[in-house]
Amino acid sequence: MDKIALGVTSSISLYKAADIIRLLQKEGLAVRVIMTEKATNFINPRLFTSLTGERTIVNLFDEGQRPVEHIAMADDICLLLIAPATANIMAKLATGIADDFLSTFYLAVKSPVLIAPAMNQAMFLHPQTQANIKKLKDAGVEFVEPESGYLACGQTGSGRLASPEKIVQTSLRLIRRQPVFKDKLIVVTAGPTREALDPVRFLSNRSSGKMGYELAREAYQRGAEVVLISGPVELEPPAGVKIEKVISSEEMRQAVLRYYDRANAVIMTAAVSDFKFSQTGSEKIEKETLPPDLKLERTPDILEELGRLKTGQLLVGFAAETAQMKARAGQKMKKKKLDLMVANDVSRQDIGFGCDENEVYLFWPDGRERFIQKTAKRKVSQEILTEIGAMLNARK
Ligand code: C5P
């Protein structure tokens, strides 16, 4: 199991470290906590020992350590995360002072280092703190910038510890990033679109957006820049991903086209409505005046347009089918000039729309195909991103 060393220093926000530990563990990571001595004034190290199942380290000469623990432990971990980090620890790390376990350990680690600062706004913005942050960034240390908001000192401003979710997502990206996704822009569309009849009625479908949100999250963790263009769904966007919220198919089309020139890959997971109303009302249409035969017309096929405009972008489509899946998916792949088609059977209740699991077939234009049997959408998204990574690699 991959292990993270979590440095906890004496910012009042250190109680949030417990949430960070829980979220990291949920992602299958082991955590070993190192506290500064001052941090133990706020929280007893036994709390973190209980949460992690491993003795929390505070001092260089604690009992029960391996002979040169800070060196031995440096080989065990895939990331050193310091959250929350005070101005003091950053000043020490920036100048190489090594007078306790955490600052000594920092000099020994070879894995990536991620710092999440938290302090009063004046302290954070002080030129000395900013100079230390710059020095650490120049040395390759990564940062999760603090947020603006209510601070423990009673003031409002910048310096609040970033959310545990954001800290964990950034940590995962540092552990899981792959060279092929570096500097790549991946556009993911997700969810349904809504085609309005009037301000209160619309035509839509049952897409939940889960598959697209998982793909966006996974692409971000692998190191890509990700834009998630989402129809109306009930999901929280993954931290680190740029979200563009849209309602109608035309809005989705325009948003995708805005990023298309710069995109290396577009993954069209969205269940774009195929039809819209020919006539719409800007005010609610009274039922007495509503014609019984509402006329529909086709919406623009975004993927087909992307296929026509393609200049090297990798295009991935999703086909939600209820019958003749292979034949239909194959035809659509050709018509839309796709590089990969993911097809699933939406007539089944246990997979696809709204479910947490999916079972899909992948089809390539050269006739290759692959079956991914029923598993969590997160796992399916990992398999799809592995295939996309291989395709991007082959293009280099
Ligand atoms: O033809 P069909 O709608 O089954 O194709 C599905 C694929 O095409 C999906 O990737 C979907 O996002 C995309 N699509 C689109 N514009 C539409 C309809 C579907 O881009 N109007």
Side-chain angles (χ1 to χ4, degrees):
M1 197 192 293
D2 284 336
K3 185 181 273 187
I4 285 188
L6 172 63
V8 176
T9 69
S10 63
S11 152
I12 298 166
S13 63
L14 89 172
Y15 66 93
K16 293 181 186 165
D19 280 341
I20 296 172
I21 292 168
R22 281 282 185 243
L23 289 171
L24 288 170
Q25 288 170 333
K26 244 174 95 182
E27 295 290 340
L29 292 154
V31 185
R32 181 81 192 257
V33 175
I34 304 163
M35 292 176 83
T36 56
E37 190 147 13
K38 285 196 211 90
T40 65
N41 289 312
F42 285 118
I43 283 186
N44 191 304
R46 275 197 294 272
L47 174 75
F48 297 128
T49 301
S50 302
L51 286 174
T52 62
E54 289 204 63
R55 191 182 54 79
T56 301
I57 302 173
V58 180
N59 293 305
L60 271 165
F61 306 105
D62 281 349
E63 292 299 321
Q65 281 176 183
R66 288 174 283 187
V68 196
E69 183 67 55
H70 58 283
I71 304 293
M73 204 174 130
D75 290 328
D76 295 346
I77 60 154
C78 56
L79 177 77
L80 168 60
L81 165 66
I82 306 181
T86 56
N88 181 53
I89 190 73
M90 292 194 295
K92 287 207 296 191
L93 303 188
T95 43
I97 291 174
D99 65 349
D100 62 3
F101 192 98
L102 184 56
S103 52
T104 310
F105 183 59
Y106 166 75
L107 293 178
V109 299
K110 298 168 216 91
S111 60
V113 179
L114 178 65
I115 291 183
M119 68 204 68
N120 161 275
Q121 169 167 252
M123 292 173 74
F124 179 67
L125 295 177
H126 193 285
Q128 199 58 62
T129 305
Q130 290 300 316
N132 290 332
I133 290 175
K134 182 169 183 313
K135 244 176 152 179
L136 288 167
K137 281 185 178 169
D138 290 346
V141 173
E142 305 271 349
F143 278 79
V144 192
E145 300 299 332
E147 293 168 359
S148 272
Y150 179 78
L151 303 169
C153 54
Q155 296 173 8
T156 306
S158 141
R160 200 164 85 155
L161 184 70
S163 70
E165 176 65 25
K166 177 121 194 254
I167 292 170
V168 169
Q169 288 303 320
T170 314
S171 304
L172 293 173
R173 182 172 159 100
L174 288 179
I175 300 167
R176 296 185 180 156
R177 63 187 164 183
Q178 297 170 344
V180 67
F181 290 100
K182 188 173 183 302
D183 299 325
K184 297 281 192 316
L185 173 63
I186 298 192
V187 176
V188 182
T189 66
T193 62
R194 280 182 190 167
E195 313 303 325
L197 173 66
D198 63 21
V200 291
R201 304 180 181 103
F202 56 80
L203 185 66
S204 191
N205 60 62
R206 291 172 44 225
S207 168
S208 65
K210 283 181 188 161
M211 195 65 237
Y213 275 56
E214 287 295 350
L215 281 160
R217 178 182 185 277
E218 188 61 31
Y220 176 75
Q221 284 188 7
R222 291 186 188 219
E225 178 190 350
V226 181
V227 177
L228 173 60
I229 300 171
S230 174
V233 295
E234 301 284 315
L235 303 171
E236 229 3 84
V241 161
K242 179 166 185 200
I243 180 95
E244 293 269 2
K245 292 188 177 164
V246 298
I247 307 279
S248 67
S249 56
E250 183 51 34
E251 282 174 24
M252 183 168 278
R253 173 180 168 267
Q254 285 178 16
V256 176
L257 289 175
R258 266 204 310 280
Y259 291 98
Y260 196 43
D261 279 351
R262 270 208 316 124
N264 298 92
V266 179
I267 310 177
M268 283 286 303
T269 326
V272 184
S273 175
D274 290 315
F275 302 99
K276 61 180 181 184
F277 295 103
S278 300
Q279 280 189 325
T280 57
S282 55
E283 285 175 18
K284 186 182 171 196
I285 305 171
E286 291 308 320
K287 51 181 171 284
E288 293 76 19
T289 60
L290 196 69
D293 54 345
L294 285 169
K295 295 247 175 331
L296 296 177
E297 59 186 62
R298 293 293 304 270
T299 54
D301 192 312
I302 305 171
L303 252 185
E304 209 176 315
E305 188 171 349
L306 299 184
R308 278 198 306 275
L309 300 172
K310 194 158 145 177
T311 54
Q313 295 90 339
L314 201 134
L315 283 188
V316 182
F318 272 69
E321 306 293 349
T322 52
Q324 293 177 297
M325 182 162 62
K326 203 168 159 178
R328 287 197 183 156
Q331 284 161 8
K332 287 176 187 174
M333 174 166 60
K334 274 210 188 88
K335 193 165 141 216
K336 304 186 187 203
K337 297 203 180 74
L338 305 185
D339 302 282
L340 173 64
M341 178 57 114
V342 184
N344 64 325
D345 180 352
V346 288
S347 66
R348 280 173 53 178
Q349 297 295 311
D350 59 330
I351 55 166
F353 278 173
C355 302
D356 289 328
E357 292 192 314
N358 214 351
E359 180 174 285
V360 300
Y361 287 86
L362 309 187
F363 300 111
W364 283 267
D366 63 4
R368 196 158 66 92
E369 58 178 75
R370 186 182 158 198
F371 174 60
I372 301 176
Q373 70 180 48
K374 186 175 153 184
T375 182
K377 283 184 174 170
R378 176 157 299 179
K379 188 86 182 67
V380 175
S381 74
Q382 287 167 354
E383 296 294 333
I384 293 173
L385 257 307
T386 298
E387 296 290 357
I388 291 175
M391 291 162 78
L392 288 170
N393 245 332
R395 290 184 163 202
K396 277 202 274 180

